[in-house]
Amino acid sequence: QVQLVESGGGSVQTGGSLRLSCAASGDSTPYCMAWFRQAPGKEREAVARIDRDGSTRYAESARGRFTAFRDNANLSLQMNNLKPEDSAMYYCAANLRGCFGRPPRPADFGYWGQGTQVTVSS
C-alpha cells in the first residue's frame, strides 16, 4: 500500500511560482504518479503524470509552465508563471500498474493524498 502526503501549496500573485511536493511511503513503490487539481464546482483534472522511468505527460494548460520531477517515490511539481485559473486544490495520485499512453484519469489511480491548496490572485 501507498500513503501520499502533499506540501508546498500557498497563495501567490499572477506570474508567481510555487513548488509542490508529494512524499510517498508504504510497502510498495508507485509506478505511475500524477498531479491532479480540482477547483470548486469543477471536475478533477490531470495536470501532469510521470512514470517510473521518468517519462512525463502534461495537460495542455500546464505545458511550458509546469514541470514534474520524480525521485523514486517522491514527486514534485514546479509551477511557474501561475495564472488565476490555476487556483485549485492540487492532489498527488499514484498507482502500482504504470501510466497509460493517454491522458490520465482519476480512475487510473488508487492512492491519493489529502491535497494542497494553490491560490493565484490577479
Side-chain angles (χ1 to χ4, degrees):
Q1 303 307 306
V2 178
Q3 293 80 45
L4 303 172
V5 178
E6 303 99 334
S7 61
S11 297
V12 296
Q13 293 187 327
T14 298
S17 298
L18 283 173
R19 188 179 181 101
L20 306 183
S21 296
C22 173
S25 61
D27 54 12
S28 299
T29 300
Y31 276 75
C32 188
M33 299 186 77
W35 288 102
F36 284 78
R37 67 186 182 187
Q38 188 168 19
K42 295 189 176 182
E43 293 186 354
R44 190 168 296 192
E45 62 175 1
V47 175
R49 66 91 168 137
I50 184 165
D51 211 335
R52 203 166 180 176
D53 63 1
S55 60
T56 54
R57 187 182 189 113
Y58 296 94
E60 183 62 34
S61 60
R63 200 168 296 135
R65 300 187 299 125
F66 294 4
T67 305
F69 300 91
R70 180 170 178 171
D71 175 15
N72 194 20
N74 296 309
L75 180 67
S76 298
L77 184 69
Q78 178 66 40
M79 304 187 294
N80 298 326
N81 191 22
L82 283 161
K83 305 175 182 180
E85 51 264 42
D86 295 317
S87 297
M89 186 72 79
Y90 282 70
Y91 297 92
C92 175
N95 71 30
L96 303 180
R97 297 175 292 169
C99 296
F100 298 105
R102 56 161 170 75
R105 303 166 186 164
D108 296 340
F109 300 89
Y111 303 97
W112 293 86
Q114 81 288 352
T116 185
Q117 179 68 39
V118 171
T119 302
V120 185
S121 58
S122 58

